[in-house]
Amino acid sequence: MGLVAGFFSVVVFLLLTDLNENEQIISLSGLLYVGVVAVLSLLVGYLFLYFFKPEIIHDLTCYAKDFITFPDFIISTCGICDILCTIFGGIVAYMLLGLVKKSTA
C-alpha cells in the first residue's frame, strides 16, 4: 500500500509543480525531494486513518484517536517497510515521469 501511496502522491505532486522544469531530468536532489514528499504523504494517510477510520469493538464504533496518541499510533502501525516502500514508489514515479519528459523533448 505504501508503494501505491508514494507513487501516486509523487505523480500528482510533480504534475502540479513541474519539478523538472529547470534542472536535469533525473537528479539526486530531485530524488531526495520526492522521497520526502512520499513520506509526508504516508504520514497524511496515517493521519486520516487515525481520525476517520472506524473500528468496531463489541458493536461500538470507535476511532484510534479515542484510545491512543498520534505519535504512539504511528510507532505502533508504521514500520520501516512501509516507509521504504513509499520512498521507492515515489522514486519510481519521479524516474518514469523524467523518462517520459526526456522522450518527448
Side-chain angles (χ1 to χ4, degrees), residues 11-71:
V11 166
V12 170
F13 177 75
L14 290 176
L15 291 176
L16 291 176
T17 61
D18 200 17
L19 179 66
N20 291 331
E21 186 176 321
N22 293 324
E23 62 182 52
Q24 299 174 357
I25 299 300
I26 298 173
S27 65
L28 181 61
S29 63
L31 289 174
L32 292 173
Y33 195 62
V34 298
V36 169
V37 168
V39 170
L40 288 176
S41 72
L42 182 69
L43 289 176
V44 168
Y46 274 103
L47 190 67
F48 280 113
L49 289 176
Y50 179 71
F51 283 106
F52 301 116
K53 182 180 181 267
E55 295 291 331
I56 299 174
I57 303 171
H58 297 291
D59 295 329
L60 297 172
T61 301
C62 304
Y63 296 93
K65 66 181 174 85
D66 297 333
F67 299 103
I68 192 170
T69 63
F70 185 66

Side-chain angles (χ1 to χ4, degrees), residues 82-102:
D82 297 324
I83 294 169
L84 292 177
C85 285
T86 305
I87 292 171
F88 179 71
I91 289 173
V92 167
Y94 177 66
M95 292 179 130
L96 286 175
L97 286 175
L99 291 175
V100 167
K101 188 171 187 175
K102 183 178 180 181

